[in-house]
Amino acid sequence: IVCISSPIDVSSMVDRRRAFCDAVSPYVNDAESRIYVTSSSFDAGYEIGLKVLNAHPNADAFFVTNSTIAMGFIKALHEIHGADPSDLGLLVYDDSEWMDLVRPASNSIEQPAYGMGQRAAELLLHKMREPQKQPERVTLESTLTMRSTQRGK
């Protein structure tokens, strides 16, 4: 398994990197060496995709931390593995409608973006009314969409 990440400069990317390492460390020697960082663009996803696929020709599972990078990565997958790389597993952070249209079918983790914004605004307004109130930690559930089983099986 290989992780392709957008820059690790915000807390959500730090958390995704840590989660990837925690999940794969029992199975590989150096999980950090399987993380590739690139900018958040289609072209960057394509370029890093070619690099990753050539560096790890036997990799059969990929975790991509955003859907923009994933589009470019899928182009690289098709270039390297042909028209239907269905024997590979792909998990992408952030769900998009286009994910139903490509192969391999992209499994995705979707954050409740609207709910996050709404809850943040509510907390901010509440803090403005009661400045002495202690900060509150809020967790909203994400959704896992499985479009294919592992490695197309």
Side-chain angles (χ1 to χ4, degrees), residues 116-126:
M116 289 167 58
Q118 182 180 31
R119 189 68 180 122
E122 290 168 356
L123 290 169
L124 180 60
L125 291 170
H126 192 74

Side-chain angles (χ1 to χ4, degrees), residues 52-123:
V52 164
L53 293 166
N54 286 311
H56 300 276
N58 297 323
D60 60 359
F62 303 91
F63 171 50
V64 184
T65 64
N66 78 44
S67 60
T68 303
I69 295 172
M71 288 187 290
F73 178 73
I74 290 170
K75 179 182 178 187
L77 267 178
H78 285 267
E79 195 169 295
I80 301 288
H81 287 279
D84 185 18
S86 59
D87 57 336
L88 303 174
L90 181 61
L91 176 63
V92 178
Y93 235 102
D94 301 328
D95 194 46
S96 296
E97 286 108 12
W98 63 262
M99 291 181 179
D100 285 320
L101 304 174
V102 298
R103 296 292 171 257
S106 301
N107 303 312
S108 65
I109 301 168
E110 182 179 10
Q111 297 180 107
Y114 179 86
M116 289 167 58
Q118 182 180 31
R119 189 68 180 122
E122 290 168 356
L123 290 169

Side-chain angles (χ1 to χ4, degrees), residues 4-147:
I4 300 172
S5 176
S6 55
I8 302 171
D9 56 0
V10 294
S11 63
S12 61
M13 288 298 115
V14 171
D15 290 345
R16 290 174 193 179
R17 179 187 199 128
R18 185 175 38 241
F20 174 82
C21 289
D22 289 350
V24 302
S25 288
Y27 306 100
V28 300
N29 289 333
D30 184 13
E32 287 283 338
S33 70
R34 293 173 175 260
I35 298 173
Y36 289 77
V37 179
T38 191
S39 59
S40 295
S41 74
F42 177 91
D43 290 337
Y46 173 73
E47 295 289 328
I48 200 79
L50 293 176
K51 180 179 179 178
V52 164
L53 293 166
N54 286 311
H56 300 276
N58 297 323
D60 60 359
F62 303 91
F63 171 50
V64 184
T65 64
N66 78 44
S67 60
T68 303
I69 295 172
M71 288 187 290
F73 178 73
I74 290 170
K75 179 182 178 187
L77 267 178
H78 285 267
E79 195 169 295
I80 301 288
H81 287 279
D84 185 18
S86 59
D87 57 336
L88 303 174
L90 181 61
L91 176 63
V92 178
Y93 235 102
D94 301 328
D95 194 46
S96 296
E97 286 108 12
W98 63 262
M99 291 181 179
D100 285 320
L101 304 174
V102 298
R103 296 292 171 257
S106 301
N107 303 312
S108 65
I109 301 168
E110 182 179 10
Q111 297 180 107
Y114 179 86
M116 289 167 58
Q118 182 180 31
R119 189 68 180 122
E122 290 168 356
L123 290 169
L124 180 60
L125 291 170
H126 192 74
K127 182 71 172 172
M128 290 169 64
R129 283 190 295 259
E130 295 183 43
Q132 74 284 358
K133 184 173 166 66
Q134 291 298 311
E136 180 180 341
R137 179 176 287 271
V138 176
T139 302
L140 301 176
E141 286 196 30
S142 297
T143 303
L144 176 64
T145 301
M146 298 297 291
R147 292 183 174 84

